[in-house]
Amino acid sequence: MGFTDRLEAGRRLGTRLAEWASGQELPRPLVLALPRGGVPVAVEVARSLGAPLDVLIVRKIGVPGRPETGVGAVVGDDPPLYDPRALAALGLDEERLAPEAARDRAELRRRALLYRGDRATPEVAGRAVILVDDGLATGATARAALRHLRGREPARLVLAVPVGAPEAAAALRAEADEVVCLEQPPAFGAVSLWYEEFPQVDDEEVAEALNACRPPAPDA
């Protein structure tokens, strides 16, 4: 079926999550987007749930010379998380990928400063956290994000995406308390194939969306 764009996908996902949440205990829900593409989706989800929005920045670690081919991911100060099968298939090891991982971590920190400035990262412990992206292909970045969040002791951890590869969604059920995926087409291909409009989301759009969703400052 697919989606017109990320905003429509976010509205549909938000509606599903709001229906699901009505029968759940979700203490102090927090929506975290995986930037950049997950942010427009998450804006609509946060609006549907009446929850605050922030980002969790994860960087895919690519093959040297082929950065689009992901073999792992890095988030926060956690050690890089690699896909052992992908490393074995490509004849790579963690030592060989150390320079790529270091560059990705530096980019992660640059984006954190750009998106959040001097604002602290949101508290996760004891909260219901809904992690949102625009789609799920291999699940490598989502897995790294979920494991990072699990270590921060949320009360409930939910992964929510409009569309995903069935095998990736199934595998990530071991990482999250709940996986909400609207569409899981057997012949998945790529996330972009399931959107009529799938433009790049730039850093400025992410920063603007986050600023728009910030609660107003209290009156002096």
Side-chain angles (χ1 to χ4, degrees):
M1 183 176 178
F3 306 92
T4 302
D5 55 20
R6 291 183 179 91
L7 293 179
E8 190 244 344
R11 286 190 288 269
R12 285 173 53 187
L13 184 59
T15 297
R16 173 70 65 83
L17 284 164
E19 293 170 352
W20 170 80
S22 64
Q24 306 290 322
E25 184 177 350
L26 299 176
R28 298 167 55 222
L30 169 69
V31 175
L32 291 179
L34 289 176
R36 291 179 288 215
V39 172
V41 181
V43 166
E44 299 299 326
V45 169
R47 183 175 291 124
S48 293
L49 295 177
L53 171 68
D54 211 305
V55 290
L56 179 63
I57 307 168
V58 182
R59 287 288 296 173
K60 176 177 70 177
I61 301 172
V63 174
R66 292 158 51 195
E68 72 285 352
T69 303
V71 293
V74 63
V75 53
D77 293 321
D78 296 356
L81 180 64
Y82 291 103
D83 181 342
R85 291 177 298 178
L87 293 183
L90 293 165
L92 294 169
D93 57 34
E94 296 186 23
E95 183 178 356
R96 173 69 180 83
L97 291 167
E100 278 70 25
R103 281 192 289 270
D104 287 324
R105 199 181 296 278
E107 173 62 12
L108 184 153
R109 289 169 176 157
R110 182 196 72 82
R111 289 192 184 186
L113 181 63
L114 177 63
Y115 299 161
R116 190 176 287 114
D118 58 0
R119 285 181 289 135
T121 57
E123 181 61 44
V124 166
R127 303 182 73 168
V129 178
I130 299 94
L131 182 69
V132 177
D133 203 357
D134 56 8
L136 196 62
T138 66
T141 54
R143 179 175 289 105
L146 289 168
R147 290 190 182 180
H148 172 80
L149 289 169
R150 184 68 77 189
R152 295 170 61 187
E153 301 182 340
R156 196 80 180 270
L157 184 55
V158 179
L159 174 65
V161 293
V163 62
E167 59 274 16
L172 288 172
R173 295 187 192 281
E175 307 287 349
D177 297 314
E178 188 80 25
V179 174
V180 178
C181 183
L182 298 185
E183 298 190 18
Q184 300 181 48
F188 180 74
V191 172
S192 61
L193 298 177
W194 302 98
Y195 288 85
E196 294 176 22
E197 300 175 15
F198 198 71
Q200 290 288 330
V201 178
D202 60 30
D203 286 334
E204 289 71 21
E205 290 177 78
V206 172
E208 287 174 7
L210 292 176
N211 286 333
C213 291
R214 289 178 66 185
D219 293 336

